[in-house]
Amino acid sequence: MQTEQALAAGREGFTLVEVLAAMLILAVGLLGLEALGVTAARSLVRAGELGEYTALAADRIEQETARIRAGLAAEGTSRSATADGDSIKVVVSRDQVGATAVYLWRVDVTVTPSATAGGGVAGDLGPVQMTAHAVK
């Protein structure tokens, strides 16, 4: 009997409109979180791809500077591709330092990702460029 009196005297619980409004607010918030998760996942893929291309460029620079130190380097441009279809361009040049027999070598490496890099998620990455100098 006391429950009937409480209902008759005042409100207990929520109305259907209040519940629907709360559900709508919750749904909008959850959609925002889902979009944030998708963006974070894409950023992770992009960062991984960028790290891979940077490591590839650094490896090529190490190879060329080792060739310079060993006296095996030659000026010029070479192009190659990875198994994934990414292109690698290496430019080796040198300038004589004054009237000495010393040369300042410059190694430029450009790694250009393929159009399908990252399964299309990171495919908008631009080229990764690195430059190194060596004296020999």
Side-chain angles (χ1 to χ4, degrees):
M1 199 56 136
Q2 191 174 8
T3 306
E4 292 175 9
Q5 289 176 353
L7 286 175
R11 269 180 35 179
E12 291 255 344
F14 299 101
T15 66
L16 184 59
V17 172
E18 290 171 330
V19 170
L20 290 175
M23 287 176 59
L24 179 66
I25 292 169
L26 179 65
V28 169
L30 290 176
L31 283 174
L33 284 177
E34 188 266 339
L36 182 65
V38 169
T39 301
R42 285 186 178 152
S43 294
L44 284 173
V45 170
R46 184 181 172 103
E49 292 286 328
L50 190 57
E52 180 182 325
Y53 300 133
T54 302
L56 186 57
D59 184 50
R60 285 299 175 100
I61 282 191
E62 285 296 320
Q63 290 174 8
E64 290 302 319
T65 54
R67 289 172 46 89
I68 289 169
R69 291 187 183 99
L72 302 173
E75 290 184 274
T77 301
S78 66
R79 295 179 189 272
S80 61
T82 65
D84 296 332
D86 308 318
S87 69
I88 303 167
K89 177 182 171 186
V90 180
V91 179
V92 178
S93 60
R94 68 179 183 168
D95 291 318
Q96 191 169 3
V97 179
T100 66
V102 177
Y103 289 92
L104 176 63
W105 290 82
R106 177 182 168 129
V107 180
D108 294 305
V109 176
T110 304
V111 178
T112 305
S114 67
T116 59
V121 175
D124 61 342
L125 284 176
V128 174
Q129 299 176 335
M130 293 182 83
T131 300
H133 294 90
V135 176
K136 174 90 174 141

